[in-house]
Amino acid sequence: MPGDEPLDRDGPVPLYVQLADYLRAQIASGELPAERAIPSKRTALERWGVAGHTFDRAVAILRDEHLVEPVRGKGIFVLPGRSGCSGSERRAAPA
């Protein structure tokens, strides 16, 4: 969708990092609230034109940051206590 493109395909930052940053910002702002599924791999392909492995790498970053958790057969969900936090609050939280 034009105007809904959070990714700069010509920029120096890899697409998976840009997608992780975009989803992280949506989680921090509360646009993706706790216990809600993030967009699926299929939706990411349709909405942003990213390949499956690009999506998987972005999700791996968010999972490593304890922002999301995959639930087999259901989707990838925002963990409680992560929506509405600023990036500095998340980074300061103990792992």
Side-chain angles (χ1 to χ4, degrees):
M1 286 179 188
D4 189 29
E5 178 63 44
L7 308 177
D8 178 5
R9 295 180 184 288
D10 298 321
V13 179
L15 289 176
Y16 73 93
V17 173
Q18 292 181 54
L19 183 56
D21 289 346
Y22 176 73
L23 293 171
R24 187 184 303 108
Q26 287 195 316
I27 292 168
S29 72
E31 251 182 275
L32 284 173
E35 300 181 3
R36 171 140 336 141
I38 68 170
S40 68
K41 190 183 295 191
R42 172 182 255 166
T43 299
L45 170 63
E46 292 169 357
R47 190 178 298 171
W48 304 303
V50 297
H53 69 276
T54 300
F55 178 82
D56 292 341
R57 289 180 77 181
V59 168
I61 290 171
L62 300 176
R63 191 182 65 239
D64 289 348
E65 294 174 356
H66 307 285
L67 295 175
V68 299
E69 185 66 36
V71 177
R72 174 165 263 149
K74 298 200 183 269
I76 301 163
F77 292 83
V78 177
L79 290 172
R82 298 304 182 186
S83 284
C85 302
S86 73
S88 60
E89 289 170 347
R90 280 195 311 279
R91 283 188 281 280

